[in-house]
Amino acid sequence: MPQDTTTYDLLIVGPVDTEKCFVYIKSAIERFNTGVGKEKRITIIGQELKGIIYAESGGKGETLIQKQISEKFDMVTAIFWNVDDSLAAVPYLSTAKVIELALKSDKQIFAYVLDEKAAMSEINLRDLGSIRTFQEQYLENSGISFTVKDEHELEEQFLNDLQLFFQTLIRIKLLHELCRRYRVCVYMPPMIYERNCETVYDKVDGIVKDYAIKGIVLSNVSDLMLIGKYAGKGLEYISGNHLHIYNHFTADSLRKMGVQMGTYSLELPFDGCAELKENTSLPMQQIVFGHPDLMHMKYCLLSWCLHWCQTPGTKL
């Protein structure tokens, strides 16, 4: 029975001295398509720049080419060696210009610098300096550049990068589907140390922006600043057990701050829970821990995103 396949168009670019490497990029694409791609129903179509540019009227040639690249391709693979084609006249766009365009268009980029030895007659120090400067400015800062020793290492590195990228992409799509179907909340990690504060809260901002989460479980006093921060999102704010609600004074104060659900402290006896419930207007819940996956929040959305957002070169 035929199954739907998602197709991605990938542009292969590089100065003239790297064209010998294109066949290795295409070999990695073929290996991906017949391996992980077949399993996940993903197909990548790799094309060279000179093979896709077509005649078009109605504007400047360079502008029209930029438009074609932006509209047609999902990803770009760029290779550098000894020649910087931005310093010479090229029939289409220089490799550096294509990468700049891809960055502005938020395309996924795989970029590699070949460290293979070349004859002295083939080396231009001005070109090498320009490539190094470009790599430092655009590639290394974006986490999208790798140095490889030869064409064979290039093929293996690129294949590994493709597999890692789509593994991450599939997980991201799964998270979006889970958020759409279920009540997914961010469970704030308790005891956020000073050195981690900015990182954690920045990641929370990203999660709230990118995912349709339903609420935030507050575990620290500092988490209370999140209440009202995401206006228009309609989030539910839940006081986690780490905020230790023992009495109705605490519960009522949290309710005034905007907390919509409280959690009994695990240290509160059951009869204390009943008494507290009678004296507060804040809806209360009891969390019973037991399974280690729940105890340590193995599937915590925040922890997952903190890990995968650090994958080099991955645009989430």
Side-chain angles (χ1 to χ4, degrees), residues 32-134:
F32 176 87
N33 287 339
T34 57
V36 174
K38 184 177 181 180
E39 177 186 348
K40 304 297 184 182
R41 299 198 293 278
I42 296 170
T43 298
I44 300 175
I45 299 176
Q47 297 184 67
E48 300 176 31
L49 184 60
K50 62 183 180 182
I52 61 95
I53 299 301
Y54 56 88
E56 185 178 0
S57 60
K60 293 182 178 180
E62 183 175 315
T63 302
L64 294 175
I65 292 173
Q66 292 180 8
K67 177 174 175 287
Q68 292 174 27
I69 293 174
S70 299
E71 293 179 353
K72 180 174 177 58
F73 290 96
D74 307 296
M75 301 179 288
V76 172
T77 296
I79 311 164
F80 291 94
W81 189 18
N82 294 313
V83 175
D84 178 12
D85 55 1
S86 64
L87 301 178
V90 290
Y92 309 116
L93 292 178
S94 69
T95 304
K97 192 69 176 180
V98 171
I99 291 180
E100 290 181 18
L101 178 62
L103 286 171
K104 292 178 181 178
S105 303
D106 202 30
K107 307 287 186 181
Q108 176 63 33
I109 302 173
F110 303 96
Y112 307 91
V113 177
L114 199 62
D115 196 28
E116 191 174 34
K117 291 184 179 180
M120 289 301 297
S121 60
E122 299 176 353
I123 297 177
N124 184 310
L125 295 180
R126 185 186 68 163
D127 281 16
L128 290 179
S130 178
I131 291 171
R132 174 55 60 187
T133 299
F134 182 81

Side-chain angles (χ1 to χ4, degrees), residues 1-6 38-39 41:
M1 182 176 180
Q3 295 179 319
D4 293 335
T5 299
T6 303
K38 184 177 181 180
E39 177 186 348
R41 299 198 293 278

Side-chain angles (χ1 to χ4, degrees), residues 239-241 243-256 259 261-286:
S239 172
N241 65 286
L243 282 182
H244 296 293
I245 298 181
Y246 294 99
N247 54 64
H248 72 276
F249 292 107
T250 303
D252 292 342
S253 296
L254 289 174
R255 184 174 182 274
K256 290 179 182 178
V259 172
M261 174 68 71
T263 302
Y264 297 108
S265 171
L266 291 177
E267 300 175 14
L268 187 64
F270 281 118
D271 57 348
C273 292
E275 186 177 357
L276 169 57
K277 187 175 179 63
E278 290 179 1
N279 290 283
T280 183
S281 57
L282 177 67
M284 298 293 298
Q285 66 178 2
Q286 179 66 59

Side-chain angles (χ1 to χ4, degrees), residues 1 149 190 234 242:
M1 182 176 180
K149 65 181 181 180
H242 289 93

